[in-house]
Structure formats: structure tokens, C-alpha cells
Amino acid sequence: MSTGAVVLLGVVAAIITALLLARPVAQAAPDDLRRRFGPEFDETAARHGGDVGAAERDLGARLRRFGGLRVKSLTTAARERYAAQWAGLQERFVDAPGEVVAQADALLDGLARDRGFPADSLQRQYEALSVHCPHEAGARRRLREAAERAAAGDTDTEALRQALLAGRALFAELIRTRPQDEGARRPSALQRLPRRPHLPAQRIAAHQRAD
């Protein structure tokens, strides 16, 4: 066999080997997306009529658009202000559930903007949140929908309460100080939110001291 033929066979073998090695990586990509996005993966697939491939393309596009987004830190004063506002909403829920849910939606919107998430539309903000807070981001859409239903006259208090509880999980994620945040500081006591939505002020204070 000539030297040229040997070289050609070597090149072909190298190409075949590279293709075989690349195949598991391509197959693993959907699993990576599932692990990263958690329940958001299934929710996205459901919005695409169960089309998993469409969900993968959607979530992959979100990663490209918002994966490099720099999440801003909050000052201690801002964190405490937001925490106090949210605690106040929780205390008022029984008396005015629809109004509280609408105000909680607005509070979450302002907090997300202050942390650097898009401010031009709810959809873009939601998509960015789903990349950086995938397990809690669904609450952003859920709370907005509950606020809109309440404005339209829906008085289902339990549904509003569940939306507020979901929103609280996202609120807690957005307000906490992360080690990677620029200028991060130790969280204040106000940052440790109560686990239940209707604790009176005295019990909130006792809960914080216990922490």
C-alpha cells in the first residue's frame, strides 16, 4: 500500500472517531437542559404542546440571550426595604387578597429590575429569570396572571394565596445575597422571610430573633 493511501486511511479513521466521540455530547444536551431548568423544562414543553424538541430550542435560545446577564447586587438598605414591604403585604392578605396580589406582582417586577433583569417586557424578564432562577421563575408568570384575574373580578382567595406563596419563593431567591454578587454582604435579619404568609408582626420578629 502506498504512503498516500495509508495517510488517507488515517484521516478517514480520525474523522470517524471524532464523529463517534461527538455523538454522546449531542445526545446529552437535552439532559443538561432538563437538569438546569428543572420544572421549567416541562412547563416549556407543555406550552409547546408537548413538543420536547421545541422546548429544547426555546430554552437553548434563552441561555444564549440571558446566560451572560450580570445579576446586580442590592444594597443592605434596599434588601431591608423590600423585605419589609413584602412582610407588610403578607400581613394584609386576609383583608385585601386581590389588592395584595397586585401589589406583590408590582413589587416583584421592581425587585427583578433592580437586580438587572429586563424591564422592557414581562416575557423577556420571565425568560431571563428562568435562566438564573429556573425553579422559582414560574411564579413570576403565575403571580401576574393571578393579579389580572383578581382585577377582572376573580375572588378565589385560595388561588390568590397559592400565587402569593409561589411569588414569595421567587422573592426570597431574588432578595438573598449571593457570594458571587459584586459587593455582596451578609444578609440582614429581615432577609430571612417567615415561612407562612400571615404571621403577625410580633411573631415575625420572634421568628427573626430565633434565626
Side-chain angles (χ1 to χ4, degrees), residues 54-124:
E56 292 166 4
R57 292 189 293 274
D58 186 340
L59 296 175
R62 292 187 205 179
L63 277 175
R64 290 190 295 273
R65 285 196 299 270
F66 301 112
L69 177 70
R70 184 176 182 83
V71 180
K72 300 177 182 177
S73 61
L74 293 174
T75 65
T76 300
R79 290 199 306 274
E80 292 181 346
R81 183 179 69 253
Y82 274 118
Q85 289 173 343
W86 189 272
L89 290 175
Q90 291 185 155
E91 291 179 5
R92 293 176 44 235
F93 177 81
V94 174
D95 297 324
E99 178 182 329
V100 164
V101 165
Q103 292 176 356
D105 173 62
L107 187 64
L108 265 183
D109 181 56
L111 176 56
R113 294 180 184 208
D114 282 354
R115 297 230 62 179
F117 291 95
D120 55 336
S121 74
L122 174 66
Q123 180 61 26
R124 278 175 48 80

Short mmCIF file of all heavy atoms in Angstrom, two decimals, residues 54-124:
data_model
loop_
_atom_site.label_atom_id
_atom_site.label_comp_id
_atom_site.label_asym_id
_atom_site.label_seq_id
_atom_site.Cartn_x
_atom_site.Cartn_y
_atom_site.Cartn_z
N ALA A 54 -39.07 21.41 20.57
CA ALA A 54 -39.33 22.85 20.57
C ALA A 54 -38.93 23.47 21.91
O ALA A 54 -38.40 24.58 21.97
CB ALA A 54 -40.80 23.12 20.29
N ALA A 55 -39.18 22.73 23.00
CA ALA A 55 -38.78 23.23 24.33
C ALA A 55 -37.26 23.35 24.42
O ALA A 55 -36.73 24.32 24.98
CB ALA A 55 -39.29 22.28 25.41
N GLU A 56 -36.55 22.38 23.87
CA GLU A 56 -35.08 22.43 23.90
C GLU A 56 -34.57 23.63 23.12
O GLU A 56 -33.64 24.33 23.56
CB GLU A 56 -34.50 21.14 23.32
CG GLU A 56 -34.76 19.91 24.19
CD GLU A 56 -34.49 18.61 23.46
OE1 GLU A 56 -34.03 18.68 22.29
OE2 GLU A 56 -34.72 17.54 24.04
N ARG A 57 -35.17 23.90 21.97
CA ARG A 57 -34.74 25.06 21.18
C ARG A 57 -35.06 26.36 21.90
O ARG A 57 -34.26 27.30 21.89
CB ARG A 57 -35.41 25.01 19.80
CG ARG A 57 -34.91 23.86 18.91
CD ARG A 57 -35.44 24.00 17.49
NE ARG A 57 -36.88 23.82 17.42
CZ ARG A 57 -37.47 22.63 17.31
NH1 ARG A 57 -36.76 21.52 17.26
NH2 ARG A 57 -38.80 22.55 17.21
N ASP A 58 -36.23 26.41 22.51
CA ASP A 58 -36.64 27.61 23.25
C ASP A 58 -35.67 27.88 24.40
O ASP A 58 -35.15 29.00 24.55
CB ASP A 58 -38.06 27.40 23.77
CG ASP A 58 -38.64 28.64 24.43
OD1 ASP A 58 -37.88 29.54 24.84
OD2 ASP A 58 -39.88 28.72 24.56
N LEU A 59 -35.41 26.87 25.21
CA LEU A 59 -34.55 27.05 26.38
C LEU A 59 -33.10 27.30 25.97
O LEU A 59 -32.39 28.07 26.63
CB LEU A 59 -34.66 25.83 27.30
CG LEU A 59 -36.05 25.61 27.90
CD1 LEU A 59 -36.09 24.31 28.69
CD2 LEU A 59 -36.46 26.77 28.79
N GLY A 60 -32.67 26.66 24.91
CA GLY A 60 -31.32 26.92 24.41
C GLY A 60 -31.16 28.36 23.97
O GLY A 60 -30.13 28.99 24.22
N ALA A 61 -32.20 28.90 23.32
CA ALA A 61 -32.16 30.30 22.89
C ALA A 61 -32.13 31.23 24.10
O ALA A 61 -31.44 32.26 24.10
CB ALA A 61 -33.37 30.61 22.02
N ARG A 62 -32.86 30.88 25.16
CA ARG A 62 -32.82 31.69 26.39
C ARG A 62 -31.42 31.72 26.99
O ARG A 62 -30.95 32.77 27.45
CB ARG A 62 -33.80 31.14 27.42
CG ARG A 62 -35.25 31.27 27.07
CD ARG A 62 -36.11 30.85 28.25
NE ARG A 62 -37.42 30.39 27.82
CZ ARG A 62 -38.35 29.95 28.65
NH1 ARG A 62 -38.11 29.91 29.95
NH2 ARG A 62 -39.53 29.54 28.19
N LEU A 63 -30.78 30.57 26.99
CA LEU A 63 -29.42 30.51 27.53
C LEU A 63 -28.48 31.42 26.75
O LEU A 63 -27.63 32.11 27.34
CB LEU A 63 -28.90 29.07 27.50
CG LEU A 63 -29.31 28.17 28.66
CD1 LEU A 63 -28.81 26.75 28.40
CD2 LEU A 63 -28.74 28.68 29.97
N ARG A 64 -28.62 31.42 25.44
CA ARG A 64 -27.75 32.27 24.63
C ARG A 64 -28.04 33.75 24.87
O ARG A 64 -27.12 34.57 24.88
CB ARG A 64 -27.92 31.93 23.14
CG ARG A 64 -27.35 30.57 22.76
CD ARG A 64 -27.33 30.37 21.26
NE ARG A 64 -28.68 30.33 20.69
CZ ARG A 64 -29.41 29.21 20.60
NH1 ARG A 64 -28.92 28.07 21.07
NH2 ARG A 64 -30.61 29.24 20.04
N ARG A 65 -29.31 34.10 25.05
CA ARG A 65 -29.67 35.51 25.24
C ARG A 65 -29.33 36.02 26.63
O ARG A 65 -28.86 37.15 26.79
CB ARG A 65 -31.17 35.71 24.98
CG ARG A 65 -31.58 35.68 23.53
CD ARG A 65 -32.96 36.27 23.33
NE ARG A 65 -33.98 35.52 24.06
CZ ARG A 65 -34.65 34.48 23.56
NH1 ARG A 65 -34.39 34.07 22.33
NH2 ARG A 65 -35.58 33.86 24.27
N PHE A 66 -29.58 35.19 27.65
CA PHE A 66 -29.51 35.71 29.02
C PHE A 66 -28.50 34.99 29.92
O PHE A 66 -28.36 35.36 31.09
CB PHE A 66 -30.89 35.61 29.68
CG PHE A 66 -31.95 36.38 28.94
CD1 PHE A 66 -32.99 35.72 28.29
CD2 PHE A 66 -31.91 37.76 28.87
CE1 PHE A 66 -33.97 36.42 27.61
CE2 PHE A 66 -32.89 38.48 28.19
CZ PHE A 66 -33.92 37.81 27.56
N GLY A 67 -27.80 33.99 29.38
CA GLY A 67 -26.83 33.28 30.21
C GLY A 67 -25.72 34.17 30.73
O GLY A 67 -25.19 33.96 31.81
N GLY A 68 -25.36 35.19 29.95
CA GLY A 68 -24.29 36.09 30.36
C GLY A 68 -24.77 37.31 31.11
O GLY A 68 -23.96 38.22 31.40
N LEU A 69 -26.07 37.36 31.45
CA LEU A 69 -26.61 38.51 32.16
C LEU A 69 -25.95 38.65 33.53
O LEU A 69 -25.89 37.68 34.29
CB LEU A 69 -28.12 38.35 32.33
CG LEU A 69 -28.84 39.45 33.12
CD1 LEU A 69 -28.86 40.74 32.32
CD2 LEU A 69 -30.26 39.01 33.46
N ARG A 70 -25.47 39.83 33.83
CA ARG A 70 -24.84 40.08 35.12
C ARG A 70 -25.90 40.50 36.12
O ARG A 70 -26.49 41.58 36.00
CB ARG A 70 -23.75 41.15 35.01
CG ARG A 70 -22.98 41.37 36.31
CD ARG A 70 -21.86 42.38 36.10
NE ARG A 70 -21.09 42.57 37.29
CZ ARG A 70 -20.08 41.78 37.69
NH1 ARG A 70 -19.74 40.75 36.93
NH2 ARG A 70 -19.42 42.01 38.80
N VAL A 71 -26.16 39.66 37.10
CA VAL A 71 -27.16 39.96 38.11
C VAL A 71 -26.55 40.94 39.11
O VAL A 71 -25.50 40.69 39.68
CB VAL A 71 -27.63 38.68 38.83
CG1 VAL A 71 -28.68 39.02 39.88
CG2 VAL A 71 -28.20 37.69 37.82
N LYS A 72 -27.23 42.06 39.29
CA LYS A 72 -26.70 43.11 40.17
C LYS A 72 -26.99 42.78 41.63
O LYS A 72 -27.95 42.11 41.97
CB LYS A 72 -27.34 44.46 39.83
CG LYS A 72 -27.10 44.93 38.40
CD LYS A 72 -27.84 46.23 38.14
CE LYS A 72 -27.67 46.70 36.71
NZ LYS A 72 -28.46 47.94 36.44
N SER A 73 -26.14 43.31 42.50
CA SER A 73 -26.38 43.15 43.93
C SER A 73 -27.27 44.26 44.43
O SER A 73 -27.43 45.31 43.78
CB SER A 73 -25.05 43.16 44.69
OG SER A 73 -24.39 44.40 44.49
N LEU A 74 -27.88 44.04 45.58
CA LEU A 74 -28.68 45.06 46.24
C LEU A 74 -27.92 45.61 47.44
O LEU A 74 -27.16 44.90 48.08
CB LEU A 74 -30.00 44.46 46.74
CG LEU A 74 -31.02 44.00 45.70
CD1 LEU A 74 -32.18 43.31 46.41
CD2 LEU A 74 -31.52 45.16 44.87
N THR A 75 -28.16 46.86 47.74
CA THR A 75 -27.59 47.42 48.96
C THR A 75 -28.34 46.83 50.15
O THR A 75 -29.47 46.32 50.02
CB THR A 75 -27.72 48.94 49.00
OG1 THR A 75 -29.12 49.29 49.04
CG2 THR A 75 -27.07 49.58 47.76
N THR A 76 -27.73 46.88 51.31
CA THR A 76 -28.40 46.39 52.51
C THR A 76 -29.70 47.13 52.74
O THR A 76 -30.73 46.53 53.09
CB THR A 76 -27.48 46.57 53.74
OG1 THR A 76 -26.28 45.82 53.53
CG2 THR A 76 -28.16 46.08 55.00
N ALA A 77 -29.69 48.44 52.52
CA ALA A 77 -30.91 49.24 52.73
C ALA A 77 -32.01 48.80 51.78
O ALA A 77 -33.19 48.70 52.17
CB ALA A 77 -30.60 50.72 52.54
N ALA A 78 -31.67 48.53 50.52
CA ALA A 78 -32.67 48.10 49.55
C ALA A 78 -33.24 46.74 49.92
O ALA A 78 -34.46 46.52 49.83
CB ALA A 78 -32.06 48.06 48.15
N ARG A 79 -32.39 45.81 50.34
CA ARG A 79 -32.87 44.49 50.74
C ARG A 79 -33.84 44.60 51.91
O ARG A 79 -34.88 43.96 51.94
CB ARG A 79 -31.70 43.58 51.10
CG ARG A 79 -30.85 43.17 49.91
CD ARG A 79 -30.02 41.93 50.23
NE ARG A 79 -29.22 42.09 51.44
CZ ARG A 79 -28.01 42.64 51.47
NH1 ARG A 79 -27.47 43.12 50.36
NH2 ARG A 79 -27.36 42.72 52.60
N GLU A 80 -33.49 45.40 52.88
CA GLU A 80 -34.35 45.55 54.06
C GLU A 80 -35.67 46.23 53.69
O GLU A 80 -36.73 45.89 54.22
CB GLU A 80 -33.61 46.31 55.15
CG GLU A 80 -32.43 45.52 55.72
CD GLU A 80 -31.71 46.27 56.83
OE1 GLU A 80 -31.93 47.49 56.97
OE2 GLU A 80 -30.91 45.63 57.53
N ARG A 81 -35.60 47.18 52.79
CA ARG A 81 -36.83 47.86 52.35
C ARG A 81 -37.76 46.89 51.64
O ARG A 81 -38.96 46.83 51.93
CB ARG A 81 -36.49 49.03 51.43
CG ARG A 81 -37.72 49.83 50.99
CD ARG A 81 -37.35 51.00 50.10
NE ARG A 81 -36.87 50.57 48.79
CZ ARG A 81 -35.62 50.63 48.39
NH1 ARG A 81 -34.68 51.10 49.19
NH2 ARG A 81 -35.26 50.22 47.17
N TYR A 82 -37.21 46.10 50.74
CA TYR A 82 -38.03 45.13 50.02
C TYR A 82 -38.61 44.09 50.99
O TYR A 82 -39.78 43.71 50.88
CB TYR A 82 -37.21 44.44 48.94
CG TYR A 82 -37.15 45.18 47.63
CD1 TYR A 82 -35.93 45.64 47.12
CD2 TYR A 82 -38.30 45.41 46.89
CE1 TYR A 82 -35.87 46.31 45.90
CE2 TYR A 82 -38.25 46.08 45.67
CZ TYR A 82 -37.04 46.53 45.19
OH TYR A 82 -36.99 47.20 43.99
N ALA A 83 -37.78 43.61 51.91
CA ALA A 83 -38.26 42.60 52.86
C ALA A 83 -39.38 43.14 53.72
O ALA A 83 -40.37 42.44 53.99
CB ALA A 83 -37.09 42.13 53.73
N ALA A 84 -39.26 44.38 54.16
CA ALA A 84 -40.31 44.98 54.98
C ALA A 84 -41.60 45.16 54.17
O ALA A 84 -42.70 44.92 54.69
CB ALA A 84 -39.83 46.33 55.52
N GLN A 85 -41.47 45.54 52.91
CA GLN A 85 -42.66 45.71 52.07
C GLN A 85 -43.37 44.38 51.85
O GLN A 85 -44.60 44.30 51.90
CB GLN A 85 -42.25 46.33 50.73
CG GLN A 85 -41.84 47.79 50.83
CD GLN A 85 -41.28 48.33 49.52
OE1 GLN A 85 -40.90 47.57 48.64
NE2 GLN A 85 -41.23 49.65 49.40
N TRP A 86 -42.58 43.31 51.60
CA TRP A 86 -43.21 42.01 51.37
C TRP A 86 -43.88 41.51 52.65
O TRP A 86 -45.00 40.97 52.61
CB TRP A 86 -42.18 40.99 50.89
CG TRP A 86 -42.82 39.71 50.45
CD1 TRP A 86 -43.11 38.64 51.24
CD2 TRP A 86 -43.30 39.39 49.15
NE1 TRP A 86 -43.73 37.66 50.49
CE2 TRP A 86 -43.85 38.10 49.21
CE3 TRP A 86 -43.29 40.09 47.93
CZ2 TRP A 86 -44.41 37.48 48.09
CZ3 TRP A 86 -43.84 39.45 46.82
CH2 TRP A 86 -44.39 38.17 46.91
N ALA A 87 -43.23 41.67 53.79
CA ALA A 87 -43.83 41.26 55.05
C ALA A 87 -45.15 42.01 55.30
O ALA A 87 -46.13 41.44 55.78
CB ALA A 87 -42.86 41.50 56.21
N GLY A 88 -45.18 43.29 54.95
CA GLY A 88 -46.40 44.07 55.11
C GLY A 88 -47.52 43.55 54.22
O GLY A 88 -48.69 43.50 54.63
N LEU A 89 -47.18 43.14 53.01
CA LEU A 89 -48.20 42.59 52.11
C LEU A 89 -48.76 41.29 52.67
O LEU A 89 -49.98 41.05 52.62
CB LEU A 89 -47.59 42.34 50.73
CG LEU A 89 -47.25 43.57 49.89
CD1 LEU A 89 -46.55 43.17 48.60
CD2 LEU A 89 -48.51 44.39 49.57
N GLN A 90 -47.91 40.45 53.20
CA GLN A 90 -48.37 39.19 53.77
C GLN A 90 -49.36 39.43 54.91
O GLN A 90 -50.37 38.71 55.03
CB GLN A 90 -47.19 38.36 54.26
CG GLN A 90 -46.31 37.85 53.13
CD GLN A 90 -45.20 36.93 53.63
OE1 GLN A 90 -44.71 36.10 52.87
NE2 GLN A 90 -44.77 37.08 54.85
N GLU A 91 -49.09 40.42 55.73
CA GLU A 91 -49.96 40.70 56.86
C GLU A 91 -51.33 41.20 56.41
O GLU A 91 -52.33 41.01 57.09
CB GLU A 91 -49.31 41.73 57.78
CG GLU A 91 -48.09 41.19 58.52
CD GLU A 91 -47.44 42.24 59.39
OE1 GLU A 91 -47.99 43.36 59.49
OE2 GLU A 91 -46.38 41.96 59.97
N ARG A 92 -51.39 41.85 55.24
CA ARG A 92 -52.64 42.45 54.75
C ARG A 92 -53.44 41.52 53.85
O ARG A 92 -54.53 41.87 53.41
CB ARG A 92 -52.33 43.74 53.98
CG ARG A 92 -51.78 44.86 54.84
CD ARG A 92 -51.40 46.07 53.99
NE ARG A 92 -52.43 46.36 52.99
CZ ARG A 92 -52.20 46.45 51.68
NH1 ARG A 92 -50.97 46.30 51.20
NH2 ARG A 92 -53.18 46.72 50.84
N PHE A 93 -52.90 40.34 53.57
CA PHE A 93 -53.53 39.48 52.56
C PHE A 93 -54.96 39.12 52.93
O PHE A 93 -55.86 39.16 52.07
CB PHE A 93 -52.72 38.20 52.37
CG PHE A 93 -53.35 37.24 51.40
CD1 PHE A 93 -53.20 37.42 50.03
CD2 PHE A 93 -54.11 36.17 51.85
CE1 PHE A 93 -53.81 36.56 49.13
CE2 PHE A 93 -54.71 35.29 50.95
CZ PHE A 93 -54.56 35.49 49.58
N VAL A 94 -55.23 38.75 54.18
CA VAL A 94 -56.57 38.31 54.57
C VAL A 94 -57.60 39.40 54.32
O VAL A 94 -58.73 39.13 53.90
CB VAL A 94 -56.57 37.88 56.05
CG1 VAL A 94 -58.00 37.56 56.51
CG2 VAL A 94 -55.68 36.66 56.25
N ASP A 95 -57.23 40.64 54.54
CA ASP A 95 -58.18 41.75 54.40
C ASP A 95 -58.39 42.18 52.95
O ASP A 95 -59.48 42.64 52.59
CB ASP A 95 -57.69 42.96 55.21
CG ASP A 95 -57.63 42.66 56.69
OD1 ASP A 95 -58.52 41.92 57.19
OD2 ASP A 95 -56.71 43.14 57.37
N ALA A 96 -57.37 42.04 52.12
CA ALA A 96 -57.48 42.51 50.72
C ALA A 96 -56.64 41.63 49.81
O ALA A 96 -55.62 42.07 49.27
CB ALA A 96 -57.02 43.97 50.63
N PRO A 97 -57.05 40.38 49.59
CA PRO A 97 -56.21 39.44 48.82
C PRO A 97 -55.92 39.89 47.40
O PRO A 97 -54.79 39.78 46.93
CB PRO A 97 -57.01 38.13 48.85
CG PRO A 97 -58.40 38.53 49.20
CD PRO A 97 -58.29 39.74 50.06
N GLY A 98 -56.94 40.38 46.67
CA GLY A 98 -56.71 40.80 45.29
C GLY A 98 -55.76 41.97 45.20
O GLY A 98 -54.85 41.99 44.37
N GLU A 99 -55.94 42.95 46.07
CA GLU A 99 -55.07 44.12 46.08
C GLU A 99 -53.64 43.73 46.44
O GLU A 99 -52.68 44.23 45.84
CB GLU A 99 -55.62 45.14 47.09
CG GLU A 99 -54.78 46.39 47.23
CD GLU A 99 -55.34 47.33 48.28
OE1 GLU A 99 -56.58 47.35 48.46
OE2 GLU A 99 -54.55 48.06 48.91
N VAL A 100 -53.50 42.85 47.41
CA VAL A 100 -52.16 42.43 47.85
C VAL A 100 -51.44 41.69 46.73
O VAL A 100 -50.25 41.91 46.49
CB VAL A 100 -52.27 41.55 49.11
CG1 VAL A 100 -50.97 40.77 49.34
CG2 VAL A 100 -52.58 42.41 50.33
N VAL A 101 -52.14 40.80 46.02
CA VAL A 101 -51.50 40.06 44.93
C VAL A 101 -51.05 41.02 43.83
O VAL A 101 -49.95 40.86 43.27
CB VAL A 101 -52.46 38.99 44.37
CG1 VAL A 101 -51.99 38.46 43.03
CG2 VAL A 101 -52.58 37.84 45.36
N ALA A 102 -51.85 42.02 43.51
CA ALA A 102 -51.45 43.00 42.50
C ALA A 102 -50.21 43.77 42.95
O ALA A 102 -49.29 44.02 42.17
CB ALA A 102 -52.60 43.97 42.22
N GLN A 103 -50.17 44.15 44.22
CA GLN A 103 -49.03 44.88 44.73
C GLN A 103 -47.79 43.99 44.83
O GLN A 103 -46.67 44.45 44.60
CB GLN A 103 -49.36 45.49 46.10
CG GLN A 103 -50.40 46.60 46.01
CD GLN A 103 -50.81 47.13 47.37
OE1 GLN A 103 -50.39 46.64 48.41
NE2 GLN A 103 -51.66 48.14 47.36
N ALA A 104 -47.99 42.71 45.14
CA ALA A 104 -46.86 41.77 45.18
C ALA A 104 -46.28 41.59 43.78
O ALA A 104 -45.05 41.49 43.61
CB ALA A 104 -47.32 40.43 45.75
N ASP A 105 -47.15 41.55 42.77
CA ASP A 105 -46.68 41.45 41.39
C ASP A 105 -45.83 42.67 41.02
O ASP A 105 -44.76 42.52 40.43
CB ASP A 105 -47.89 41.34 40.46
CG ASP A 105 -47.51 41.40 38.99
OD1 ASP A 105 -46.76 40.51 38.55
OD2 ASP A 105 -47.94 42.34 38.30
N ALA A 106 -46.29 43.86 41.40
CA ALA A 106 -45.52 45.07 41.12
C ALA A 106 -44.21 45.10 41.90
O ALA A 106 -43.18 45.54 41.38
CB ALA A 106 -46.37 46.30 41.47
N LEU A 107 -44.24 44.60 43.13
CA LEU A 107 -43.02 44.57 43.95
C LEU A 107 -41.98 43.64 43.34
O LEU A 107 -40.79 43.97 43.27
CB LEU A 107 -43.36 44.14 45.37
CG LEU A 107 -42.23 44.22 46.41
CD1 LEU A 107 -41.80 45.67 46.61
CD2 LEU A 107 -42.68 43.61 47.73
N LEU A 108 -42.43 42.47 42.88
CA LEU A 108 -41.51 41.53 42.24
C LEU A 108 -40.92 42.12 40.97
O LEU A 108 -39.74 41.92 40.67
CB LEU A 108 -42.22 40.22 41.91
CG LEU A 108 -42.12 39.08 42.92
CD1 LEU A 108 -42.84 37.86 42.39
CD2 LEU A 108 -40.67 38.74 43.23
N ASP A 109 -41.74 42.82 40.21
CA ASP A 109 -41.27 43.46 38.99
C ASP A 109 -40.16 44.46 39.30
O ASP A 109 -39.11 44.47 38.66
CB ASP A 109 -42.43 44.14 38.28
CG ASP A 109 -42.00 44.82 36.98
OD1 ASP A 109 -41.44 44.13 36.11
OD2 ASP A 109 -42.22 46.03 36.83
N GLY A 110 -40.39 45.31 40.31
CA GLY A 110 -39.38 46.29 40.68
C GLY A 110 -38.10 45.65 41.19
O GLY A 110 -37.00 46.09 40.86
N LEU A 111 -38.24 44.59 41.99
CA LEU A 111 -37.07 43.89 42.51
C LEU A 111 -36.27 43.25 41.39
O LEU A 111 -35.03 43.33 41.37
CB LEU A 111 -37.52 42.83 43.52
CG LEU A 111 -36.45 41.92 44.11
CD1 LEU A 111 -35.34 42.73 44.76
CD2 LEU A 111 -37.08 40.94 45.11
N ALA A 112 -36.96 42.60 40.45
CA ALA A 112 -36.25 41.98 39.33
C ALA A 112 -35.50 43.02 38.51
O ALA A 112 -34.36 42.80 38.09
CB ALA A 112 -37.24 41.21 38.44
N ARG A 113 -36.10 44.17 38.29
CA ARG A 113 -35.43 45.23 37.54
C ARG A 113 -34.20 45.73 38.30
O ARG A 113 -33.14 45.96 37.69
CB ARG A 113 -36.41 46.39 37.31
CG ARG A 113 -37.57 46.05 36.40
CD ARG A 113 -38.50 47.24 36.21
NE ARG A 113 -39.66 46.90 35.40
CZ ARG A 113 -40.31 47.77 34.65
NH1 ARG A 113 -39.93 49.03 34.61
NH2 ARG A 113 -41.35 47.39 33.95
N ASP A 114 -34.35 45.91 39.61
CA ASP A 114 -33.21 46.38 40.39
C ASP A 114 -32.05 45.39 40.37
O ASP A 114 -30.89 45.78 40.52
CB ASP A 114 -33.63 46.64 41.84
CG ASP A 114 -34.37 47.96 42.00
OD1 ASP A 114 -34.44 48.72 41.00
OD2 ASP A 114 -34.86 48.24 43.11
N ARG A 115 -32.34 44.12 40.16
CA ARG A 115 -31.28 43.11 40.12
C ARG A 115 -30.72 42.94 38.71
O ARG A 115 -29.85 42.09 38.49
CB ARG A 115 -31.79 41.78 40.65
CG ARG A 115 -32.19 41.87 42.12
CD ARG A 115 -31.60 40.78 42.97
NE ARG A 115 -30.15 40.80 43.00
CZ ARG A 115 -29.42 39.94 43.71
NH1 ARG A 115 -30.01 39.00 44.42
NH2 ARG A 115 -28.12 40.00 43.70
N GLY A 116 -31.24 43.73 37.76
CA GLY A 116 -30.66 43.73 36.44
C GLY A 116 -31.39 42.92 35.39
O GLY A 116 -30.91 42.79 34.26
N PHE A 117 -32.56 42.38 35.73
CA PHE A 117 -33.32 41.61 34.76
C PHE A 117 -34.09 42.57 33.84
O PHE A 117 -34.37 43.71 34.23
CB PHE A 117 -34.27 40.65 35.47
CG PHE A 117 -33.57 39.53 36.18
CD1 PHE A 117 -33.26 39.64 37.53
CD2 PHE A 117 -33.18 38.40 35.49
CE1 PHE A 117 -32.58 38.62 38.19
CE2 PHE A 117 -32.49 37.37 36.13
CZ PHE A 117 -32.19 37.49 37.49
N PRO A 118 -34.41 42.15 32.63
CA PRO A 118 -35.03 43.05 31.65
C PRO A 118 -36.27 43.76 32.18
O PRO A 118 -37.06 43.17 32.92
CB PRO A 118 -35.38 42.12 30.48
CG PRO A 118 -34.39 41.00 30.59
CD PRO A 118 -34.17 40.80 32.07
N ALA A 119 -36.41 45.02 31.77
CA ALA A 119 -37.53 45.83 32.23
C ALA A 119 -38.49 46.16 31.10
O ALA A 119 -39.53 46.79 31.35
CB ALA A 119 -37.01 47.13 32.87
N ASP A 120 -38.18 45.76 29.87
CA ASP A 120 -38.98 46.19 28.72
C ASP A 120 -40.24 45.36 28.52
O ASP A 120 -41.20 45.83 27.90
CB ASP A 120 -38.13 46.19 27.45
CG ASP A 120 -37.48 44.84 27.19
OD1 ASP A 120 -37.29 44.08 28.15
OD2 ASP A 120 -37.16 44.54 26.02
N SER A 121 -40.26 44.12 29.02
CA SER A 121 -41.46 43.30 28.88
C SER A 121 -41.43 42.18 29.90
O SER A 121 -40.36 41.73 30.33
CB SER A 121 -41.56 42.70 27.47
OG SER A 121 -40.64 41.64 27.30
N LEU A 122 -42.63 41.74 30.30
CA LEU A 122 -42.72 40.63 31.24
C LEU A 122 -42.13 39.37 30.64
O LEU A 122 -41.46 38.59 31.33
CB LEU A 122 -44.19 40.39 31.62
CG LEU A 122 -44.44 39.16 32.51
CD1 LEU A 122 -43.79 39.33 33.87
CD2 LEU A 122 -45.95 38.91 32.65
N GLN A 123 -42.35 39.13 29.35
CA GLN A 123 -41.87 37.91 28.72
C GLN A 123 -40.34 37.82 28.77
O GLN A 123 -39.78 36.79 29.13
CB GLN A 123 -42.34 37.85 27.26
CG GLN A 123 -41.89 36.60 26.50
CD GLN A 123 -42.41 35.31 27.10
OE1 GLN A 123 -43.45 35.28 27.76
NE2 GLN A 123 -41.69 34.22 26.87
N ARG A 124 -39.67 38.90 28.42
CA ARG A 124 -38.20 38.89 28.46
C ARG A 124 -37.69 38.77 29.90
O ARG A 124 -36.71 38.09 30.16
CB ARG A 124 -37.63 40.15 27.80
CG ARG A 124 -37.57 40.05 26.27
CD ARG A 124 -37.13 41.35 25.64
NE ARG A 124 -35.94 41.91 26.26
CZ ARG A 124 -34.69 41.50 26.03
NH1 ARG A 124 -34.47 40.51 25.16
NH2 ARG A 124 -33.66 42.08 26.62
#
